Amino acid sequence: MGDRNYFIILAIAVMLAIQYFLSKHPNPFAALIVPIIYMIILTGLFIFDIIQHVIVFLLLLLLGLLYLLREWFEAQKSLKSK
């Protein structure tokens, strides 16, 4: 794995951690910031040729957004049950 791959993994891990904490916030729109930033960062990585394959870009984008949305739904369900 090259340095580029470590940067991609680190960026994804940071986004997921931030999403976890923002999803617990009572304001449901606070966690909307993270998926937008995630899309912008991944698009930038693709534009600047850090992510070199379209399929890898689309998979990272789709899987990351699905995970972020799942975290948000679970946190909102948890907040409503309290």
Side-chain angles (χ1 to χ4, degrees):
M1 258 181 142
D3 290 336
R4 292 180 178 186
N5 294 333
Y6 287 125
F7 178 73
I8 293 168
I9 292 170
L10 179 65
I12 291 170
V14 168
M15 289 289 129
L16 294 176
I18 293 170
Q19 178 70 6
Y20 174 78
F21 291 111
L22 285 179
S23 292
K24 302 288 183 181
H25 195 271
N27 183 359
F29 297 108
L32 185 61
I33 297 168
V34 176
I36 293 170
I37 292 172
Y38 180 77
M39 288 188 301
I40 291 170
I41 288 173
L42 275 181
T43 304
L45 292 174
F46 183 68
I47 289 172
F48 292 112
D49 209 27
I50 294 172
I51 299 175
Q52 298 174 348
H53 300 287
V54 176
I55 295 172
V56 172
F57 168 70
L58 292 175
L59 282 174
L60 287 173
L61 187 65
L62 180 65
L63 293 175
L65 287 176
L66 285 174
Y67 188 79
L68 291 171
L69 289 174
R70 186 184 68 84
E71 273 191 31
W72 181 79
F73 281 121
E74 292 296 322
Q76 292 302 308
K77 187 175 19 172
S78 172
L79 284 174
K80 286 182 182 180
S81 68
K82 287 183 179 181

